[in-house]
Amino acid sequence: MSIVVEHLNFTYMPDTPYAKTALKDINLTINEGELFGIIGATGSGKSTLIQHFNGLIKATEGRIKVFDIDLSVKKPDYKRLRATVGLVFQYPEYQLFDETVKADVGFGPRNLGLSKDEIDTRVREAISLVGLNYDDIAEKSPFDLSGGQKRRVAIAGVIAMQPKVLVLDEPTAGLDPKGKKDILRLILSLRKASPTVIIISHDMDEIAGIADRIAVLDKGEVKYVLPPKELFDKAEELSELGLDVPETVKIYKELKKRGIVLPDMPVRKSELARLIFERFKGGRG
């Protein structure tokens, strides 16, 4: 198991008139090698939850274990934890700060106390992994890059830490359709470097197409943890939580209402196209 969460509770500003409970009795297991999605309406606790995974937030109650690192002990090994779990915040390009791309990507490895040669190797590999040419951009200011390049550089800075778990908070936020597709392809390719990936997203279509399982949060509680097809079969329940289902599922259900039954519920557009083609090939109605 990559991450095990048991009876996790968290309250902002406890014991004050402004106390707000953000997480309530969260129980969750994320498997090693899994691409795990987390969805929920605004204020459901998604970002609060993932910030527990690398120790940015300490649990009010409960236990979290990341591989062999127990965060419930008095003094967890936060340095090792943050080398194990890489967290990419929403709009990570806003966190770029150094004079050159090379220096920015190397910031994390430098803090690990690695040798110069090891840092240089990691920086080169990370920049290449995110689809950028090291020789073209290493000495450039990150602020002179395009929006998509900035986001890739920010992700490279986390990848250079070589985390076992990569956590991304709304990784496609603010991008145009092409930029979203590029980042999603990048995320899938990064599983070679960080095999366990956790993604927060509000976009049902994008998360349905890549996740192995999806957790649904509502008002700080876990409502479901299911594979995409099982989850999106609960369209009415999701609607009550203020969530929608992917367009492919809507089309599947509409076809079914009209008497056109496909053999399986698709969650990817390519899957829907294939099922419709097979249903109607040869002129079958």
Side-chain angles (χ1 to χ4, degrees):
M1 305 300 179
S2 291
I3 297 175
V4 177
V5 181
E6 297 176 338
H7 305 294
L8 173 64
N9 293 278
F10 181 76
T11 300
Y12 286 105
M13 301 179 72
D15 303 319
T16 74
Y18 306 101
K20 176 178 172 55
T21 300
L23 298 174
K24 305 173 188 175
D25 197 31
I26 301 288
N27 293 279
L28 196 62
T29 298
I30 299 172
N31 300 313
E32 186 173 1
E34 190 169 30
L35 202 159
F36 191 87
I38 301 176
I39 61 176
T42 301
S44 61
K46 306 185 296 297
S47 294
T48 301
L49 174 61
I50 63 167
Q51 288 180 62
H52 279 80
F53 295 163
N54 77 340
L56 288 178
I57 293 178
K58 186 172 177 58
T60 306
E61 298 174 16
R63 183 185 182 199
I64 302 175
K65 193 170 184 182
V66 179
F67 289 94
D68 62 337
I69 306 170
D70 191 343
L71 303 189
S72 62
V73 300
K74 190 172 182 179
K75 292 184 177 180
D77 188 343
Y78 285 118
K79 184 174 181 180
R80 190 158 69 92
L81 176 66
R82 286 164 189 162
T84 300
V85 180
L87 177 55
V88 180
F89 289 100
Q90 189 175 157
Y91 300 107
E93 57 270 26
Y94 295 160
Q95 297 158 42
L96 300 172
F97 65 93
D98 226 317
E99 292 182 1
T100 67
V101 168
K102 180 173 70 174
D104 212 302
V105 174
F107 177 78
R110 286 197 300 275
N111 281 348
L112 293 178
L114 302 175
S115 69
K116 183 179 182 303
D117 287 345
E118 177 64 16
I119 293 169
D120 288 345
T121 297
R122 288 195 181 198
V123 169
R124 285 179 177 274
E125 289 178 351
I127 289 173
S128 177
L129 276 170
V130 298
L132 297 173
N133 186 296
Y134 177 88
D135 293 330
D136 288 345
I137 70 163
E139 299 298 336
K140 286 185 177 180
S141 166
F143 307 107
D144 292 338
L145 303 178
S146 69
Q149 287 176 321
K150 287 178 181 177
R151 188 159 301 188
R152 286 171 183 265
V153 167
I155 293 173
V158 176
I159 292 298
M161 301 280 284
Q162 296 186 357
K164 292 181 181 179
V165 181
L166 181 63
V167 184
L168 302 115
D169 189 351
E170 299 281 4
T172 64
L175 296 178
D176 60 26
K178 182 182 183 303
K180 287 185 178 184
K181 287 181 181 179
D182 288 345
I183 289 295
L184 290 174
R185 279 197 293 265
L186 168 62
I187 291 166
L188 292 173
S189 70
L190 290 178
R191 295 183 77 179
K192 298 172 187 174
S194 298
T196 305
V197 179
I198 302 169
I199 299 180
I200 285 181
S201 180
H202 68 279
D203 189 322
M204 292 296 193
D205 286 281
E206 75 179 27
I207 205 164
I210 61 175
D212 298 313
R213 289 188 302 150
I214 300 173
V216 178
L217 268 63
D218 179 59
K219 297 175 183 175
E221 299 180 86
V222 174
K223 294 297 183 181
Y224 303 104
V225 182
L226 293 168
K229 289 184 181 181
E230 293 180 35
L231 178 62
F232 295 129
D233 200 33
K234 301 180 180 294
E236 291 183 7
E237 292 93 329
L238 291 174
S239 180
E240 290 173 2
L241 300 177
L243 301 171
D244 207 346
V245 296
E247 289 299 320
T248 53
V249 175
K250 292 178 182 177
I251 294 170
Y252 167 82
K253 291 181 177 291
E254 185 60 32
L255 289 173
K256 190 174 181 180
K257 283 182 186 177
R258 300 184 183 205
I260 302 170
V261 180
L262 300 179
D264 194 14
M265 177 191 290
V267 293
R268 298 176 179 87
K269 292 177 183 178
S270 59
E271 189 180 5
L272 174 63
R274 178 182 61 79
L275 290 172
I276 291 175
F277 174 78
E278 290 178 354
R279 175 69 173 76
F280 290 100
K281 70 180 178 181
R284 291 189 294 122

